[in-house]
Amino acid sequence: VRLLYEYLANQGINGEELLGSPCPDTRDKGLTRYPMEQWRKDLEVASARLNAPHLGLCIGQLITAAHVGVLGYVILSCDNFAEALTRFERFSRLVYDAELLKKRIENNSVILEWGVEYGCPGQLVDEAAIVSLVQFARDITGETWPLEEISFVNPWPSDTKVYDDYFGCRVAF
């Protein structure tokens, strides 16, 4: 959630005024969870008011270990990317409570999937989550990993160029 408020601040926009509530501060309340439905609404409100249909792509690129909390620092302490993915798979529900992440190896590819058994949180939530994962992987390894394909469970947007440009691979909807 802080990603959204930080993005807005970087754009010179007061997030509290735009969204009608302050950024949650877990330092005062301990470990609290932000409801997925509220996260979706916050993204939709900001996207509509800013006329930013690809807001999830924008904010996901700002991810740091601090945004992921203790899991981010656990991932940073891993010896290699495979170990980091295993940790993320095991504890992803700490930061993304929509679906369980499933990792599998096929041929020479690592496939990461979130199902739809618990519903679809929506385009902006999915974009922010997937871009955050890709960006965090790029940041912690110092490499732009060659992606083969990104698939979203959402309908085709009117403009897919921003997806192609960021991911650098085939993007399906």
Side-chain angles (χ1 to χ4, degrees):
V1 175
R2 287 184 320 197
L3 282 172
L4 176 56
Y5 282 83
E6 288 174 20
Y7 172 81
L8 294 171
N10 290 341
Q11 303 299 311
I13 299 166
N14 182 314
E16 187 170 335
E17 288 178 12
L18 184 80
L19 299 172
S21 62
C23 182
D25 187 354
T26 58
R27 292 174 296 183
D28 294 335
K29 300 173 188 168
L31 296 174
T32 59
R33 301 192 56 88
Y34 198 77
M36 182 62 72
E37 183 61 21
Q38 186 60 50
W39 172 232
R40 183 187 62 74
K41 287 179 185 176
D42 290 348
L43 288 171
E44 288 175 353
V45 166
S47 175
R49 290 185 178 166
L50 300 174
N51 191 26
H54 305 294
L55 182 63
L57 282 168
C58 297
I59 66 171
Q61 294 177 54
L62 301 176
I63 192 80
T64 66
H67 294 109
V68 188
V70 71
L71 179 58
Y73 296 107
V74 167
I75 290 170
L76 288 178
S77 72
C78 293
D79 290 332
N80 55 56
F81 190 61
E83 183 182 345
L85 274 177
T86 299
R87 294 284 182 268
F88 185 77
E89 179 183 25
R90 181 170 181 201
F91 297 109
S92 63
R93 291 292 293 259
L94 293 174
V95 293
Y96 188 71
D97 198 22
E99 297 287 336
L100 291 175
L101 174 68
K102 298 171 191 147
K103 174 186 76 176
R104 70 178 197 277
I105 309 294
E106 259 183 37
N107 301 321
N108 288 323
S109 298
V110 176
I111 299 170
L112 304 175
E113 295 178 308
W114 286 274
V116 293
E117 294 85 20
Y118 299 108
C120 299
Q123 172 195 341
L124 294 169
V125 172
D126 289 347
E127 283 177 10
I130 291 172
V131 171
S132 293
L133 180 61
V134 170
Q135 189 65 49
F136 198 61
R138 290 174 175 174
D139 290 346
I140 66 173
T141 62
E143 296 185 31
T144 301
W145 293 90
L147 303 172
E148 294 177 16
E149 180 179 348
I150 298 288
S151 298
F152 291 95
V153 296
N154 306 303
W156 283 92
S158 59
D159 177 19
T160 60
K161 184 177 179 342
V162 293
Y163 298 95
D164 299 333
D165 291 347
Y166 176 76
F167 292 115
C169 66
R170 185 172 103 79
V171 181
F173 295 86

